[in-house]
Amino acid sequence: MDTIFERIGGAPAVAAVVDLFYERVLADPELSPYFTGADLGALKAHQRAFVGQALGATDPYPGRAMREAHGPLSIRGEDFDRVVGHLASALTEAGVDEATIGTIAGALAPLKADIVTG
């Protein structure tokens, strides 16, 4: 059985979605302050690995646990929701179908408890 990762086009598609996602997030005045001084190259690499694994890629995610990585940022619930919305928009722009986007959003929802600390 193929994975969502394979159905959307594998690593090249995930990389394109991550680029679109960061364009949206960095243009969002509510979210851009979270990224001040951040190493965007490293963030994008982590995001590609994370999204890839969440979608069924076999490459392991080498990043820290969600609570450890995001705890110091005091992320608010509404900002988490904005990020998920930007990811959904990036996936839509990349041609991913609505059902698959819903599956991805469903996989992200349980992470909210570990990411939101503000």
Side-chain angles (χ1 to χ4, degrees):
M1 175 184 280
D2 64 339
T3 64
I4 293 173
F5 179 76
E6 294 165 332
R7 285 195 308 265
I8 69 166
V14 168
V17 166
V18 168
D19 286 342
L20 290 169
F21 166 74
Y22 274 103
E23 284 176 24
R24 293 179 180 327
V25 168
L26 294 172
D28 186 321
E30 295 294 320
L31 299 176
S32 61
Y34 288 114
F35 299 93
T36 301
D39 179 347
L40 289 177
L43 282 176
K44 285 183 177 184
H46 281 290
Q47 191 74 8
R48 286 189 299 268
F50 174 75
V51 170
Q53 188 180 55
L55 301 181
T58 57
D59 293 338
Y61 173 66
R64 297 177 288 165
M66 292 294 118
R67 185 174 297 276
E68 178 187 346
H70 297 91
L73 300 173
S74 298
I75 296 172
R76 302 174 306 161
E78 57 268 26
D79 291 336
F80 177 89
D81 296 341
R82 290 175 75 84
V83 166
V84 172
H86 286 306
L87 180 58
S89 294
L91 289 161
T92 299
E93 185 174 331
V96 177
D97 64 271
E98 243 181 82
T100 301
I101 293 170
T103 300
I104 294 166
L108 295 175
L111 299 176
K112 189 173 185 174
D114 287 334
I115 293 173
V116 173
T117 57

